[in-house]
Amino acid sequence: MEVFQYKAVNRRGRVITGRVDAVNEGDLEVRLSRMGLDLVNYKVMRQARKGMTGQGIRRIELITFCFHLEQLVRAGVPILEGLADLRDSIDNPRLREVTAALIESIEGGRTLSDAMRDFPAVFNPVFVNLIRVGEQSGELAKVLRYLTDTLKWQDEQAALTKKLFMYPAFVGLVVTGVLFFLMAYVVPQLLQFITTMGQELPLHTRILIAVSHVISTYWYLVLGIPIVLAVAIVVLARVSPGVRLLVDDLKLRLPVLGPILKKVILARFTNFFAIMYASGITVLDAIRMSRDIVGNRAVEEALDAAAERIADGQGISRS
């Protein structure tokens, strides 16, 4: 939504000025005509931050939204009436606000896919492009059914992935905590007893004592440096494409976790690719749009390279 300062004339020819919220110029004209005004000119005063209203919408709520919209479209209900019915029955206030904005955008002359593009936090680029294909091909209900099934599959995969990573993370945290406790507290307590034995200590025992001394004396550095390094890597990965590519490639090469992450990414990619290809999108366009949902720079680079080879005439499997 945007705030427009307008100049208009009423039916008596009197000039009226004011401000009103609207999606675009077409929506502004519709709103003013309802007020009995004819638009003369306007100026955009403030643009809303797109996508902010999408925060707080869970995937299960988006699944329900797509399912009910698919049922309404399949039954022949006009898209505006269907969205209005959904708006009145949605419990989540943020999703209800997004749905109301979609209605206003469509009333202003935009298509459903163009209206959804204003909320990338809710409708990702693949979602929007599939809706666009459904509108152009007249198979919107079929695409919405695909999206409902895909979102359900995503929800199941997310829950399964969380379970897969939760146990190794918990075990690693417990083991790290136990080792830190042993080095910082238990070993220093035993050090006096070991030194009173009056015997030469083996090399591995001296190393253990040295490590324990470092941890007990500089514990703040032992705990702080990994956190600082992790934050620095995250920040650098966000601002530097090269660092992000290196980090994402390293993620795929991690033992145990790397193969799991790779399978999750490839499963997500192939699922979306299949949906788009079945909806009539060409192979190259499907690859280009699917790269936005893999979430890994190394895989995105590989998809770009494969797309270039396919564009040069090579086969899909070889590319």
Side-chain angles (χ1 to χ4, degrees), residues 37-50:
L37 302 175
D38 293 326
L39 179 65
V40 177
N41 56 44
Y42 68 91
K43 181 172 64 175
V44 180
M45 300 299 296
R46 174 175 56 83
Q47 291 187 349
R49 292 176 293 177
K50 294 182 180 181

Side-chain angles (χ1 to χ4, degrees), residues 273 283-284 287 302-303 305-319:
F273 182 88
V283 171
L284 287 177
I287 291 177
L303 289 176
E308 291 180 1
R309 294 183 180 183
I310 294 173
D312 291 337
Q314 296 187 20
I316 298 176
S317 59
R318 183 178 180 183
S319 301

Side-chain angles (χ1 to χ4, degrees), residues 10 26 28 33 35 37 47 49 56-57 61 63 78 88 128 133 141 160 165 168 241 245 256-257 264 309 312:
N10 60 16
L28 176 63
S33 65
M35 299 164 58
L37 302 175
Q47 291 187 349
R49 292 176 293 177
I57 298 176
E61 293 168 335
I63 292 173
D88 298 335
V128 173
V133 171
L160 180 59
F165 281 96
L245 176 61
V256 181
L257 299 182
V264 170
R309 294 183 180 183
D312 291 337

Side-chain angles (χ1 to χ4, degrees), residues 25-82:
E25 181 182 358
D27 185 32
L28 176 63
E29 292 181 354
V30 171
R31 290 171 182 265
L32 292 179
S33 65
R34 292 175 180 174
M35 299 164 58
L37 302 175
D38 293 326
L39 179 65
V40 177
N41 56 44
Y42 68 91
K43 181 172 64 175
V44 180
M45 300 299 296
R46 174 175 56 83
Q47 291 187 349
R49 292 176 293 177
K50 294 182 180 181
M52 293 300 294
T53 55
Q55 303 299 326
I57 298 176
R58 298 178 300 169
R59 186 182 287 112
I60 187 65
E61 293 168 335
L62 191 57
I63 292 173
T64 304
F65 174 86
C66 292
F67 173 76
H68 288 303
L69 185 59
E70 183 258 328
Q71 296 295 318
L72 290 169
V73 172
R74 190 176 297 278
V77 178
I79 193 68
L80 278 175
E81 294 182 15

Side-chain angles (χ1 to χ4, degrees), residues 119-129 154 272 293:
F119 303 95
V122 184
F123 311 107
N124 60 44
V126 175
F127 192 108
V128 173
N129 283 312
Q154 278 187 320
F272 272 107
I293 54 93

Side-chain angles (χ1 to χ4, degrees), residues 155-165:
D155 198 54
E156 295 171 356
Q157 292 298 314
L160 180 59
T161 304
K162 186 181 297 184
K163 291 180 181 178
L164 290 175
F165 281 96

Side-chain angles (χ1 to χ4, degrees), residues 34 46 56 65 80 113-114 121 172 214 216 246 281:
R34 292 175 180 174
R46 174 175 56 83
F65 174 86
L80 278 175
S113 58
D114 287 338
V214 171
S216 59
L246 182 63
I281 300 177

